[in-house]
Amino acid sequence: MTETTTIIGNKRKKVISVPSDGYLCSICKLPGHWIQQCPNRSRKGIKKPKTKASSTHTYEAGIDPSPDDIKKARELQKIKPPLCYCTIASRLKKVKESNNVNSSSRAIGKYFFFCSKAKIDETKCSFARPLEQQKEKEEQKNKKKIKKKENNKLKNALLTKTKEKDENDETKDDDSTTSNSSSSDSSSSDSSSSGSDSSSSSSS
């Protein structure tokens, strides 16, 4: 105990006990006080040091998960669980031998998505989907998404091409109209000059 209460008359007084020799506070690494009374405990930026896992543990096959098992479990966690008949996210479980499962069942040792409600819950549905089936559905969805993206890219490329063609046609039309207007201006100037020449000859 770090604190003891002593009654003096009608008053209670807390007496802080001192740790024995050899005890070091794990926060400041100094003797003379318990970790609960460490002055550096309430300061910001100073955190309690994390204890490292003991390295004396030896791997035992069949009991401890292997690196391959850990990798497989991480890949399974990435799979999005489907909605069960209760319209809630299902839970991935491995089928094991039990009183409810026949020992000759082909489902033993395989992963299934089941309803995530508790067994005691009467509203629990009978949803059960194999992991392989869910993987196939996700692959089909991904393929559809990729196809949609490709189709959108093609549509956008066609739209840009048609816009460029329209812009080129408009520029051509503008050039033709300007050339026509310039030719009409030149013809009108020629006609006016010829009319002035005829009038000058008649007056003479």
Side-chain angles (χ1 to χ4, degrees):
M1 296 289 292
T2 60
E3 294 180 358
T4 57
T5 57
T6 56
I7 300 170
I8 301 170
N10 294 328
K11 295 180 180 180
R12 290 186 179 183
K13 189 178 180 181
K14 289 183 179 181
V15 180
I16 299 170
S17 62
V18 180
S20 59
D21 295 337
Y23 176 82
L24 293 175
C25 175
S26 60
I27 295 174
C28 63
K29 306 296 181 184
L30 294 173
H33 61 269
W34 298 101
I35 187 172
Q36 289 83 1
Q37 284 83 33
C38 181
N40 295 331
R41 190 182 180 192
S42 60
R43 291 183 186 177
K44 292 182 179 180
I46 298 172
K47 295 181 180 179
K48 187 178 177 181
K50 294 181 180 179
T51 55
K52 293 182 179 180
S54 60
S55 60
T56 57
H57 178 74
T58 56
Y59 172 76
E60 294 182 9
I63 298 173
D64 297 329
S66 64
D68 293 334
D69 294 335
I70 294 168
K71 188 177 179 181
K72 186 179 179 181
R74 286 176 179 172
E75 289 176 355
L76 292 175
Q77 287 176 354
K78 293 177 183 178
I79 299 169
K80 188 178 179 181
L83 298 177
C84 65
Y85 302 136
C86 304
T87 64
I88 58 173
S90 57
R91 185 182 295 174
L92 184 65
K93 291 182 181 179
K94 189 177 182 180
V95 179
K96 299 178 181 178
E97 290 185 8
S98 63
N99 296 327
N100 297 326
V101 181
N102 295 325
S103 59
S104 61
S105 176
R106 291 181 294 174
I108 293 172
K110 294 182 180 180
Y111 287 92
F112 281 77
F113 285 100
F114 296 104
C115 181
S116 58
K117 290 183 179 179
K119 292 180 180 179
I120 306 167
D121 195 347
E122 294 179 355
T123 60
K124 184 177 182 178
C125 64
S126 59
F127 180 81
R129 181 178 293 175
L131 176 64
E132 290 77 11
Q133 188 178 352
Q134 182 63 19
K135 281 184 177 179
E136 287 176 1
K137 286 191 174 184
E138 284 195 352
E139 286 176 359
Q140 289 176 359
K141 284 182 181 179
N142 291 329
K143 286 179 181 178
K144 286 181 180 179
K145 286 181 181 179
I146 291 165
K147 283 183 179 179
K148 281 184 179 180
K149 286 181 180 179
E150 289 177 354
N151 291 329
N152 290 329
K153 284 181 180 179
L154 291 171
K155 286 179 181 178
N156 292 328
L158 290 170
L159 287 171
T160 52
K161 284 182 180 179
T162 52
K163 283 181 181 179
E164 287 176 357
K165 284 182 180 179
D166 293 336
E167 289 175 357
N168 292 328
D169 293 337
E170 287 177 359
T171 52
K172 286 179 182 179
D173 293 335
D174 293 335
D175 293 336
S176 61
T177 52
T178 52
S179 62
N180 290 329
S181 62
S182 62
S183 62
S184 62
D185 293 336
S186 62
S187 61
S188 61
S189 62
D190 293 336
S191 61
S192 61
S193 61
S194 63
S196 60
D197 293 336
S198 61
S199 60
S200 60
S201 60
S202 60
S203 60
S204 60

